[in-house]
Amino acid sequence: MGESTVEAVYRRFFPVIREKCRSMLRDSDEAQDVAQETFIRLWKSGLDLEDPRRVSAWVYRTATHLSVDRIRRRAIGTEVTGVDADVEGVGTDARIHNRQLLERLASKIPQDELEVAILDRVDGLTQPESAEVLGISERTVRRMLTRLDARLAALKAEVHP
Amino acid sequence: MTLRQAQGQAHPSKLTLDRLALGLADAETQAHAKSCAQCSAHLEKLAVLTGGPDFVHPSRLQLDRLALGSPDAATASHAASCAQCGAHLKAVQVDLPVPQWVRDVGTSRPAAWLRWLRPMVAVGAMALVAFAVVGYRPASGPDITAKGLGTPQVQVWVNHAGKATLWSGAALVPDDAFRFEVRPGPYRHLTILELQGDRLYRVLHSAPVPSDGLSPAWAVDADGAQEDVMLLLSNAPLSDDELRRALAGEGSLWSTRWRFQKELR
């Protein structure tokens, strides 16, 4: 059984939360804000903190949701100016590119689809992992990614007819 | 599946094919690729380029789980010999100084799962009592309101002096503990708020609805005349904005509010 003071919980979990938020949000202040909010929610959640699988899934889900909420609020009213490539790839460069592209298109993509997209295309989670984190079936994850690809293709055609 | 049928269907994305080529098995894609000339050609090309699945990195989630203490020999062995994954592990295991806002969060957290109700539920206590649907108001008049679409059901268990019963609406006394049992209907995520004077005091709980529907339990303290709790059901964790709107009575979230009067000895 680990220590359960707020300081010990912070030392153990905050670096993971912070890195997760940094991978989704380019603005470091914003990433820090979301990481802080995620940590406070974790502390108050009543989750069993001795179960790393459950806690990590919870952290990924909550941090992703809070980040997507921020990204979408920021994107409202922003004009889509460039859909220059597909959201694909597995390397670090591809992840950064995917994050930037998803940020630009955030206002055009529904919240739940964007959450799946970030887990799959930015964090590089496998589909079973994304399904576990979001508490949905793998089939639903696949369906949402297919819808995302179709949406991106349509946006691309719209911007570059 | 014939070649013609496969080609008639939508092709998997390049990413899905790339993952398959990297050894991340996906039966559906595998089956498609076997019978689709275009996709199998893409896979063959990748096999030449990558030389096989040996260099596949674990996902960030796997690395984070390892860092948090989940045993995973394969991931640990990979990270030990991979600069990129090793760097990520190092980044999530740094020893951070604790800032003041952490200390301001408060020292006590809601009790983790109390065990006292599980056996009782397991032996069929559920069968003994009808499920109290939200909106049902016992004669003693507990203050319950509900709002939103769908037909979730919520009931409250109270542990008084070591005996757990469905809440009758009677006042609670300090050291009683209560917890919710939820049948979430179409919803997946449960948020429980503690209110003070119609304003959010703190988020007691935010997590997917567990399979047994039981929330954590909270002990009643001797402060104040009532415990005012709001329960929200959604399909994902709530943003600050969604919380604010729910508290203002706006939006379409399914919510129910419970006010437990306290009898102070």
Side-chain angles (χ1 to χ4, degrees), chain B residues 121 123-130:
Chain B
V121 172
V123 297
M126 284 291 295
L128 301 176
V129 286

Side-chain angles (χ1 to χ4, degrees), chain A residues 19-33:
Chain A
E19 288 306 308
K20 165 74 175 121
C21 293
R22 281 179 176 173
S23 75
M24 296 179 288
L25 297 160
R26 63 182 161 182
D27 182 303
S28 61
D29 287 345
E30 202 171 31
Q32 179 70 18
D33 281 354

Side-chain angles (χ1 to χ4, degrees), chain B residues 55-128:
Chain B
F55 75 99
V56 177
H57 298 287
S59 72
R60 281 188 186 183
L61 182 62
Q62 278 176 290
L63 290 168
D64 288 348
R65 283 178 166 167
L66 179 67
L68 293 175
S70 193
D72 181 347
T75 303
S77 152
H78 172 95
S81 59
C82 169
Q84 188 181 325
C85 294
H88 180 81
L89 269 187
K90 211 170 165 188
V92 296
Q93 288 179 310
V94 290
D95 192 13
L96 294 173
V98 180
Q100 187 54 44
W101 66 262
V102 174
R103 298 196 173 93
D104 294 341
V105 169
T107 50
S108 63
R109 64 189 303 263
W113 292 90
L114 294 186
R115 309 290 195 268
W116 46 260
L117 265 181
R118 283 187 185 279
M120 192 163 185
V121 172
V123 297
M126 284 291 295
L128 301 176

